[in-house]
Amino acid sequence: MSEYISNRETAAETGQAAGMRLSIGALARSGAIASVIKLASAGLSFLMLVAVAMVTDERQFGLYSAAYAGASLVSFFSLVGQHSTVLRFWPQYAGNDDLDSANGLMARAILVALAGLAAFSLIIVAVGFLPLAGRDVPEWRSLCAATTVLAFALGWSEFTSCAFRAKNALIAGLLPRDIIWRAVTIAAFAAAGFMHVEMSAVAATFLTAGLLLLSVLPQTIVLLRDTIRAKRGPLTEGQKAEFRTVTLGVWGVTALPPALGQASTLLVAAILGPEAAGAIFVADRTMRLVVLTLNGINQALAPQISNAFYSGDRPHVQRITSLAALGGFAIALLALLLFVMFGSLILSIFDPAYGTPTMHVTLIILGIGATIGTGCGPTEILLQLTGLQHALFKLLVAVNTLGLGATAALTYLLGPIGAALSIAGTIAAWCVIAVFIARREIGINPSIFGFFTGQDALAARAFLRDRA
């Protein structure tokens, strides 16, 4: 990667120059590649959970699910928003040929991310020693220790992935975590199952975390090496102030949506017990097939939004966001249809106890909420990369606070179906409101309706006609 930092001409030839503006055609190809990787990742994630379920009993799988959800929850906060910060600032600085500032920003982000990961890891360890915590779980402290390692691994792997993506090294950013780790983990658990080894939740969590750290080790070495070797300039006081302001905003908006999703799983576990938590965990992970295509497109889209918006080309931002929404929504509808037809069969692969009519309805409801969110387009990254992170943060706090309360109440009243109704409603509500914020504040409609209205919609449709 250092070649495109030190030699701009070579970087231009290879198409990996930091901050380089991609045409819609090139962006579509990058989005397609990322979507394929995300599709493979989703399939591997599915198989990974199946492999874990093969070597654990129902209780241990429920504890593993809770540990994974807890580690994910902590990892979202522990990065202090730095994975989004590099996606915001690197394309902005590099696009203005200020690579000294871009490299200085990367070094600062790495230090802040590592400090956050270390601090939050200590918090998990401390939770393991609280007097009343986990009194009904004999392996509580060991499970907290395993969760600590997994939280660090998940957080750091997310940061390194975003750092590579910010520099347009899309495949190098996605493969270690999305493909290599999951494939290796499946092989390890499958081998354990073949040898009839029964694992505890603690052992399974430690193994998952260790293999993730090994998978991203080459990526880590390259990132640290290139950052240390690169010519860095000190950030100006204005840049430092902007870094601090944006960090506080994106910390909240990048942590809250996924973190509250994990918090919902933990809340259901506390109310209904670990067995039900395992079923909800599986349904939640399966539901993510709906947002798969849009998430894949977003991997390539994020640096392009930052580059185009801060260079004043808002029509380009409108075109790429509405096209992303349209492509993602079309695939989301197909995934939802798959859930309607084969949902029980899919869930029963993990455990026959999960393939019930109740869990089938739960999966469909979650899928409907995710489909509505997908139709709203890349609202989250659009707002956080265009200076509206504080508005998004306030929206997420308000909607998700109400959502968690609704999840608790409806789970008590209706069980898993109630949990699904509240979770799906929360997702749909904040995504729809975010679209209205984007239209009002920056004049961009990132939803599928942005493709059908306005001058930029005409340009987007003309692009599709030309490609056809």
Side-chain angles (χ1 to χ4, degrees):
M1 288 181 59
S2 58
E3 286 81 0
Y4 66 74
I5 296 177
S6 61
N7 189 331
R8 296 300 299 274
E9 293 181 356
T10 302
E13 292 173 358
T14 60
Q16 294 179 337
M20 177 180 292
R21 173 80 63 84
L22 298 179
S23 66
I24 292 182
L27 181 58
R29 288 191 294 272
S30 295
I33 292 171
S35 296
V36 170
I37 292 175
K38 286 296 181 180
L39 176 62
S41 175
L44 291 173
S45 295
F46 181 89
L47 293 175
M48 188 173 85
L49 292 177
V50 172
V52 175
M54 289 173 54
V55 297
T56 56
D57 59 28
E58 190 174 356
R59 178 180 179 274
Q60 292 299 319
F61 184 74
L63 290 174
Y64 174 86
S65 301
Y68 196 105
S72 299
L73 174 66
V74 173
S75 72
F76 300 134
F77 285 98
S78 62
L79 284 175
V80 200
Q82 296 311 295
H83 56 309
S84 185
T85 298
V86 295
L87 284 170
R88 156 72 186 274
F89 286 116
W90 177 278
Q92 179 182 340
Y93 294 157
N96 293 325
D97 292 323
D98 188 5
L99 284 173
D100 288 355
S101 294
N103 292 325
L105 175 280
M106 182 64 73
R108 176 179 286 252
I110 289 173
L111 293 176
V112 174
L114 288 174
L117 288 166
F120 277 84
S121 295
L122 292 176
I123 291 175
I124 301 177
V125 173
V127 169
F129 288 91
L130 292 178
L132 299 179
R135 60 181 181 273
D136 297 328
V137 182
E139 57 271 82
W140 175 253
R141 289 184 179 177
S142 298
L143 196 61
C144 285
T147 303
T148 299
V149 180
L150 182 57
F152 184 94
L154 289 171
W156 179 248
S157 64
E158 178 66 17
F159 177 81
T160 56
S161 175
C162 289
F164 275 64
R165 286 168 46 211
K167 299 179 179 184
N168 279 339
L170 182 66
I171 296 176
L174 295 179
L175 281 182
R177 172 170 165 149
D178 285 275
I179 303 298
I180 297 173
W181 166 50
R182 288 177 168 85
V184 171
T185 303
I186 290 168
F189 282 110
F194 180 77
M195 294 185 290
H196 304 289
V197 175
E198 190 167 314
M199 283 193 183
S200 67
V202 173
T205 304
F206 268 125
L207 180 59
T208 303
L211 292 174
L212 177 55
L213 289 173
L214 286 175
S215 298
V216 301
L217 181 60
Q219 196 179 51
T220 300
I221 293 172
V222 171
L223 176 63
L224 296 179
R225 182 199 67 192
D226 287 355
T227 302
I228 292 171
R229 290 180 179 178
K231 180 182 177 183
R232 300 189 301 274
L235 299 180
T236 66
E237 290 302 319
Q239 288 173 328
K240 291 178 182 178
E242 187 180 24
F243 176 88
R244 289 191 293 268
T245 300
V246 170
T247 288
L248 290 175
V250 299
W251 187 9
V253 301
T254 57
L256 274 179
L260 287 168
Q262 303 300 333
S264 298
T265 301
L266 295 174
L267 183 61
V268 173
I271 296 172
L272 301 179
E275 289 80 6
I280 292 292
F281 181 81
V282 167
D284 176 73
R285 288 304 186 275
T286 306
M287 172 269 290
R288 298 184 186 196
L289 289 171
V290 170
V291 299
L292 186 64
T293 298
L294 183 61
N295 283 343
I297 295 171
N298 285 349
Q299 308 305 305
L301 198 66
Q304 300 302 309
I305 290 175
S306 180
N307 186 297
F309 184 83
Y310 290 101
S311 63
D313 193 356
R314 295 194 185 193
H316 185 68
V317 178
Q318 174 66 70
R319 283 190 290 271
I320 61 179
T321 53
S322 57
L323 283 169
L326 191 65
F329 186 68
I331 302 301
L333 289 176
L334 293 177
L336 183 59
L337 179 61
L338 180 69
F339 293 164
V340 172
M341 297 175 62
F342 305 108
S344 293
L345 178 61
I346 294 171
L347 294 172
S348 64
I349 293 174
F350 294 90
D351 193 304
Y354 298 161
T356 63
T358 295
M359 290 310 303
H360 187 191
V361 173
T362 298
L363 177 61
I364 293 172
I365 293 172
L366 290 172
I368 291 172
T371 301
I372 294 173
T374 301
C376 292
T379 53
E380 185 181 351
I381 62 169
L382 176 66
L383 294 184
Q384 66 181 259
L385 295 177
T386 56
L388 295 175
Q389 64 275 356
H390 294 291
L392 179 59
F393 179 74
K394 293 175 183 177
L395 168 64
L396 291 172
V397 169
V399 173
N400 284 287
T401 298
L402 295 174
L404 278 178
T407 298
L410 290 177
T411 301
Y412 271 114
L413 293 173
L414 302 175
I417 291 178
L421 285 169
S422 58
I423 293 170
T426 301
I427 293 171
W430 78 256
C431 288
V432 170
I433 297 172
V435 170
F436 284 100
I437 292 175
R439 290 183 60 192
R440 183 187 69 227
E441 299 296 332
I442 57 177
I444 294 172
N445 184 347
S447 73
I448 55 174
F449 297 107
F451 180 80
F452 296 105
T453 59
Q455 182 178 358
D456 295 314
L458 294 175
R461 292 198 292 272
F463 164 77
L464 289 184
R465 287 197 300 271
D466 293 341
R467 298 293 292 179

